[in-house]
Amino acid sequence: MVSYIIRRLLLLPLILFGVSLIIFGMLELLGPDKLVSVYIRGPESEKVAGAAERIIKKYGLDQPLPVKYAKWVGNILKGDLGWSLVGKQPVLNAILSRFPYTLELALWAIVPVVFVGIWLGVVSAIHHNRFLDHFLRVFAIVGWSFPDFVFGLFMILIFYSKLGWFPPGYLSYESEEIVRSAEFMKITGLVTIDSLINGRFDVFLDALRHLIAPVITLA
C-alpha cells in the first residue's frame, strides 16, 4: 500500500506537467488575436489605441512557444490565473469568492453519504444475495452512473417547480439581507455555521432548506 502511494506521488508531477501542456495547447489554438481580446478585457487595460501591443508585450504572446509556456506557468505559480470573462474579475478572485459555498455544500453532502451509505451497506450485507441486496446494488450502480447535472434538473423540476419544497439559491431574500447586514459576523464564510455563531437559527434553518436539494444531488 505504501509503495503504491509513493508511486502515485512520483507520477503526480508528470501528470501535472502533461495537463499543463494540454491546457496551454488549447489556449494556443485560440490564436494571438483571440488571446489579446481575452486579456484586454482585464482591469489592467482599456480598449484604447496601443492596448493590444501592451498586452502582447506584457504576457509575451509574441514569444516562442517554450518562452510563452514558461511565462504562463510562472504566472500560475504566482496566482495569476487570468481574467474571467463571465465573472468580470480575476479567475483566482472568482474561485475564492465561491469557495465557501462549495466547501459548505461538500461538507453537508458528507452526512448522507456516510450515514445512509453505511446503513444501506449493512442492510445489503444482512440480506446478502437476496432480492433486497440485488435491488440496492442496482440502485447504487444507477445512482453513481446518473449524471449529477441531469439529476439536479429533475430535482428542480419536481421538488421546486411542481411541489415547491426545496427553493433554489442558497438563502431566501430575508435571510440574505440578514447575512449581508453589518451586524451579522462572517467568521467562517459558511452560512450555516456563521448563523449558529450569530444565534440566528432562522437563517440556519433557511440555509438548510436551500441545501437539501443540492446535497441530495451531490450525494
Side-chain angles (χ1 to χ4, degrees), residues 12-191:
L12 184 60
L14 184 61
I15 294 173
L16 292 177
F17 175 68
V19 171
S20 68
L21 286 179
I22 294 174
I23 297 175
F24 178 75
M26 293 174 65
L27 291 174
E28 284 300 308
L29 291 177
L30 294 175
D33 295 336
K34 290 289 185 181
L35 285 174
V36 169
S37 66
V38 171
Y39 285 116
I40 208 170
R41 293 173 182 264
E44 73 278 356
S45 60
E46 300 291 339
K47 288 188 175 181
V48 295
E53 289 75 10
R54 293 198 301 271
I55 292 296
I56 291 174
K57 184 176 181 180
K58 177 179 179 179
Y59 291 96
L61 300 180
D62 57 345
Q63 299 294 321
L65 282 177
V67 177
K68 284 196 289 186
Y69 174 75
K71 193 174 184 65
W72 178 72
V73 172
N75 289 334
I76 291 178
L77 294 177
K78 291 186 294 185
D80 183 4
L81 303 180
W83 179 260
S84 172
L85 296 178
V86 177
K88 306 299 181 184
Q89 59 181 323
V91 172
L92 184 60
N93 292 353
I95 294 174
L96 293 178
S97 65
R98 290 162 176 79
F99 178 74
Y101 306 107
T102 304
L103 177 62
E104 187 167 31
L105 176 58
L107 291 176
W108 278 104
I110 293 175
V111 177
V113 168
V114 172
F115 290 99
V116 177
I118 292 176
W119 175 67
L120 291 178
V122 171
V123 171
S124 182
I126 293 175
H127 300 84
H128 183 60
N129 282 335
R130 299 178 186 175
F131 172 77
L132 188 57
D133 178 32
H134 295 307
F135 174 79
L136 291 177
R137 194 178 305 168
V138 172
F139 177 78
I141 294 174
V142 172
W144 279 107
S145 304
F146 210 73
D148 288 342
F149 66 92
V150 176
F151 186 74
L153 291 176
F154 277 115
M155 291 289 293
I156 294 174
L157 179 64
I158 297 173
F159 294 102
Y160 169 63
S161 298
K162 299 296 183 182
L163 301 177
W165 290 358
F166 307 141
Y170 77 104
L171 282 175
S172 64
Y173 176 77
E174 294 78 9
S175 297
E176 191 172 348
E177 288 295 314
I178 295 173
V179 171
R180 290 182 176 179
S181 65
E183 294 78 15
F184 191 88
M185 295 183 296
K186 300 178 180 65
I187 299 175
T188 65
L190 309 181
V191 177

